[in-house]
Amino acid sequence: MTSNPQSTTIDCRGMQCPAPILATAKAAKGLRATGGILQVLADDAAFPLDVKSWCRSAGATMLEIEEGSDGFRATIKIAGEAPTVPAPSRSDTTLLDCLGQQCPKPILALAKHARQAEPGSELEVVADDAAFPADLRSWCRSAGAEILSFDDQSTPFRARLRLKGRVATQPLLGGGPGHAPPPPARPVAPAVQPAAVAAIAPVSAVPATPVADHIRIDVSWFAPDERTREMVRAARDARATQLTVVAPDPTFNSVLLGWCAAEGHTLRSLNGSGPVIAEIGLDVHRLGTSLGQAVTALAPIAPAQAEPQVTALAAPGANNCALLVMHNDHEALLAALLIANGAAASGMDVTMFFTFWGLNLLRGDRPNPNAPKEKVSFIQRMFKWMMPKGPKRQALGQMNFGGVGRGMLDSIMKGQNLMLLPDLLESAQSQGVKFIACTMSMSVMGITKRDLHPYDHLEYGGVAAFVDAARGAGLHMVF
């Protein structure tokens, strides 16, 4: 590699996909602070299409690409990054004690407190659950809260937050810098009075107030008996015409169906396999305050009180990639890490959530001396002994033949100058791909922190960590 303050040249000739793009991304990362020109030499046939795709994903500018007798030369402009400005702080702080609570109870308690908090108020949270650091950061990103300080190096964990307030009404897909602003308000179109409510005051008696075209609410943070009430309250406050509801499991399907049937709303689509995602067309004049409540109980909203309280749907977090790894078939892990490396090389923030059998990829050859010893049962020890550990021992899902098939595949890949599973794993870490180990699966399978290799970007989290990463991701897959 040769460089000067404005230009860098890297030679990727002899490398096969995805190595040239990974090298391009690594070199571009070094230019992000000030910006500059990057020249890449490569002879892989896939390079022209790959580098153009990478430029679009990473926000780089392809100035030109030339083909010569010795391969391709791409000239790329890398833009510099703008500085960030810290936000002011407040001093009124409340203490939330979550000691002794396990995932997801600390996050549920935090969400419940935040729903009733004043915007901008500060909260100190104390917890000792191993998943709390990753879950807290994920919840803050999705709820729009700010972490003022966080001691996550010793137990109990202690964090100081500034809350945004009204967490239930925050956009599900994020709301930080780079997201699209809410769409402009438009007036409510006159509605036809259904015959079933003919005895009720005419629709014209309800003032036509501005509405948000589309709102989205995640009811997962609420207790089961609060979900319907909060969903209806959010829609009623915003007087939206379209509603997207996300629920944690299919048990909410019947609630949604019953509410739409009782109140006359249109259920346009329902993905009920979990998490539940429903698209509903709303009749804004028939929004009761609880499930099945008649419209007669809904007093007209005065114009002075009709300010929308729900933020309009924000643009998806197209720069995020979330991968759920639950199997440990060698070829599935290859595919997962190949996607992770490609997404990271394209400038995406990549999170890999390892659960159940997928945790075996993260296991080390030797115990991690920096992690404390934990007691596991005899059955769990036998369970771990029978499972392969680390990237070099995962078997093929098909045609493994006692490891012979995997050895043949590795030999073919080496002959083609392709990256093997350990290489892809190392590359993912060097690019900052975040690994999250599911603490619930670890406790079930007897896998402790001492069993996992001490990767630089390894964290321990629960369901909130993956839900946050996946629901705002432009790319999410399961392996």
Short mmCIF file of all heavy atoms in Angstrom, two decimals, residues 23 73 75 176 254 264 268 295 303 343 390-391 395:
data_model
loop_
_atom_site.label_atom_id
_atom_site.label_comp_id
_atom_site.label_asym_id
_atom_site.label_seq_id
_atom_site.Cartn_x
_atom_site.Cartn_y
_atom_site.Cartn_z
N ALA A 23 -10.60 -5.47 1.54
CA ALA A 23 -9.42 -4.62 1.59
C ALA A 23 -9.76 -3.18 1.23
O ALA A 23 -9.23 -2.23 1.82
CB ALA A 23 -8.35 -5.17 0.63
N ARG A 73 -8.38 -1.00 -12.50
CA ARG A 73 -7.97 0.08 -11.63
C ARG A 73 -9.19 0.96 -11.35
O ARG A 73 -9.74 1.57 -12.26
CB ARG A 73 -6.87 0.94 -12.25
CG ARG A 73 -6.46 2.16 -11.38
CD ARG A 73 -5.47 3.04 -12.12
NE ARG A 73 -4.20 2.36 -12.31
CZ ARG A 73 -3.18 2.43 -11.47
NH1 ARG A 73 -3.29 3.17 -10.37
NH2 ARG A 73 -2.06 1.79 -11.71
N THR A 75 -10.82 4.18 -9.24
CA THR A 75 -10.51 5.41 -8.53
C THR A 75 -11.75 5.87 -7.79
O THR A 75 -12.78 6.14 -8.41
CB THR A 75 -10.03 6.51 -9.48
OG1 THR A 75 -8.91 6.01 -10.23
CG2 THR A 75 -9.61 7.75 -8.72
N GLY A 176 -32.79 8.89 14.77
CA GLY A 176 -31.57 9.66 14.92
C GLY A 176 -31.22 10.41 13.66
O GLY A 176 -31.99 10.48 12.71
N SER A 254 -55.36 -12.49 17.64
CA SER A 254 -56.79 -12.45 17.91
C SER A 254 -57.22 -11.10 18.46
O SER A 254 -58.34 -10.63 18.19
CB SER A 254 -57.17 -13.57 18.89
OG SER A 254 -56.45 -13.42 20.11
N GLY A 264 -64.49 -1.34 13.32
CA GLY A 264 -64.70 -0.99 11.92
C GLY A 264 -63.46 -0.56 11.18
O GLY A 264 -63.55 0.09 10.13
N ARG A 268 -55.32 -4.67 6.69
CA ARG A 268 -54.82 -4.81 5.32
C ARG A 268 -53.82 -5.94 5.17
O ARG A 268 -53.76 -6.57 4.11
CB ARG A 268 -54.18 -3.48 4.89
CG ARG A 268 -55.22 -2.36 4.77
CD ARG A 268 -54.58 -1.02 4.48
NE ARG A 268 -55.61 0.01 4.30
CZ ARG A 268 -55.37 1.31 4.29
NH1 ARG A 268 -54.14 1.75 4.46
NH2 ARG A 268 -56.35 2.16 4.10
N VAL A 295 -68.04 3.95 20.14
CA VAL A 295 -67.59 5.27 19.79
C VAL A 295 -68.30 6.35 20.59
O VAL A 295 -67.84 7.47 20.68
CB VAL A 295 -67.78 5.50 18.27
CG1 VAL A 295 -69.23 5.66 17.93
CG2 VAL A 295 -66.99 6.72 17.80
N PRO A 303 -60.03 21.31 18.75
CA PRO A 303 -58.87 21.67 17.94
C PRO A 303 -57.65 22.03 18.77
O PRO A 303 -56.54 21.72 18.41
CB PRO A 303 -59.37 22.88 17.13
CG PRO A 303 -60.86 22.71 17.08
CD PRO A 303 -61.24 22.07 18.38
N ALA A 343 -21.59 -6.88 4.16
CA ALA A 343 -22.37 -5.74 4.66
C ALA A 343 -21.48 -4.74 5.39
O ALA A 343 -21.61 -3.53 5.22
CB ALA A 343 -23.48 -6.24 5.59
N GLY A 390 -15.75 -23.84 18.14
CA GLY A 390 -14.84 -23.05 17.33
C GLY A 390 -15.09 -23.17 15.84
O GLY A 390 -15.81 -24.06 15.37
N PRO A 391 -14.48 -22.30 15.04
CA PRO A 391 -14.74 -22.26 13.60
C PRO A 391 -14.13 -23.43 12.83
O PRO A 391 -14.51 -23.65 11.68
CB PRO A 391 -14.08 -20.94 13.18
CG PRO A 391 -13.02 -20.68 14.19
CD PRO A 391 -13.57 -21.21 15.48
N ALA A 395 -19.43 -29.03 11.54
CA ALA A 395 -19.65 -30.02 10.48
C ALA A 395 -20.59 -29.48 9.40
O ALA A 395 -21.38 -28.58 9.65
CB ALA A 395 -20.24 -31.30 11.09
#
